[in-house]
Amino acid sequence: MNKPVILRRTGGLGDLLMMTPALKAFSKEHGKLNIMLPQGFEGVFDNLPHLENIIHLTKDEDPLVKKFELGWDGELRDLSDYEFNYEHHMQPVITKTKIELFADRLDVKVHDNRLDISFTEDELANAKSYLDEHNLNSEKLILFGVNSAQPLRTWSLEKWKEVINKAIKWGYDVLVVDKKLNWDDERLT
């Protein structure tokens, strides 16, 4: 059978996770999927039952050449920048979520919008240990990835503080994932 090959050359962790509901729906029609992702995201899709092969491409690797080298003969479905192009052209009236855009591109209906993440027992134990060590409530926890590779999606530090303070006010514990912003010592609340 000629399995389609999914390709994503650009984007960050959030974009990859937003693809997961569409990938799961697509795999119901096509079986386990072959997928190519940018290097630096090793482990993001590990353990997902609907993925057969995950290849991490360097910036210089040509996906068509790689597909040929691997003997993958299915159609290449390129999801690179698909949703960004939509967002760029539709600003400020964006009516579709990224999950809907990826589903459109793969021509599938998504009935479950939950992001698909599968952890090993060791990863779950490490997460529990981290939450316990930092006295965080796993039932009311929000993780914010506060930066984007796309300038259109990046908020100011003041906007992030406003959103995070609201989450804290509503009783949520907050984790912030960021490697670019320079957070000062000022407490958020």
Side-chain angles (χ1 to χ4, degrees):
M1 177 168 134
N2 292 345
K3 284 187 185 189
V5 177
I6 307 299
L7 169 66
R8 178 68 185 196
R9 282 186 269 224
T10 58
L13 178 59
D15 296 327
L16 294 177
L17 292 175
M18 293 294 169
M19 287 173 28
T20 61
L23 292 176
K24 188 174 188 176
F26 192 70
S27 73
K28 288 180 181 174
E29 297 177 21
H30 298 279
K32 287 189 170 192
L33 302 174
N34 295 319
I35 188 165
M36 294 182 189
L37 302 171
Q39 263 187 339
F41 295 100
E42 289 78 1
V44 173
F45 288 156
D46 287 356
N47 309 313
L48 294 184
H50 50 278
L51 299 182
E52 186 169 339
N53 294 296
I54 304 169
I55 301 298
H56 298 280
L57 297 173
T58 65
K59 275 175 64 173
D60 299 327
E61 281 184 290
D62 183 317
L64 290 174
V65 170
K66 189 69 167 181
K67 183 171 115 44
F68 177 76
E69 290 172 353
L70 293 167
W72 293 354
D73 54 3
E75 174 192 359
L76 187 67
R77 300 281 186 108
D78 192 345
L79 300 182
S80 303
D81 291 329
Y82 180 72
E83 82 294 351
F84 177 72
N85 290 332
Y86 168 84
E87 291 173 347
H88 183 71
H89 293 306
M90 297 300 290
Q91 287 285 357
V93 186
I94 296 173
T95 59
K96 292 187 175 186
T97 68
K98 285 187 180 217
I99 293 171
E100 292 169 322
L101 291 169
F102 288 126
D104 287 352
R105 178 68 177 105
L106 293 175
D107 197 27
V108 294
K109 296 278 187 233
V110 171
H111 301 287
D112 182 357
N113 283 346
R114 288 180 290 179
L115 304 183
D116 202 1
I117 304 171
S118 183
F119 298 105
T120 65
E121 291 299 319
D122 285 345
E123 290 168 333
L124 289 172
N126 288 339
K128 182 179 179 347
S129 175
Y130 181 89
L131 294 174
D132 290 346
E133 181 182 326
H134 293 88
N135 198 27
L136 296 169
N137 177 357
S138 64
E139 299 298 317
K140 288 196 78 173
L141 177 68
I142 299 176
L143 182 133
F144 289 105
V146 299
N147 218 313
S148 172
Q150 304 294 341
L152 286 175
R153 298 183 192 152
T154 301
W155 287 354
S156 68
L157 180 59
E158 292 72 31
K159 181 69 174 174
W160 277 114
K161 285 182 178 183
E162 176 186 335
V163 170
I164 290 168
N165 280 323
K166 282 183 182 178
I168 292 169
K169 181 180 175 186
W170 294 334
Y172 287 90
D173 286 337
V174 173
L175 281 176
V176 176
V177 178
D178 172 50
K179 61 183 178 182
K180 293 182 181 177
L181 285 178
N182 184 15
W183 293 83
D184 56 23
D185 291 335
E186 175 185 333
R187 292 193 51 91
L188 291 172
T189 58

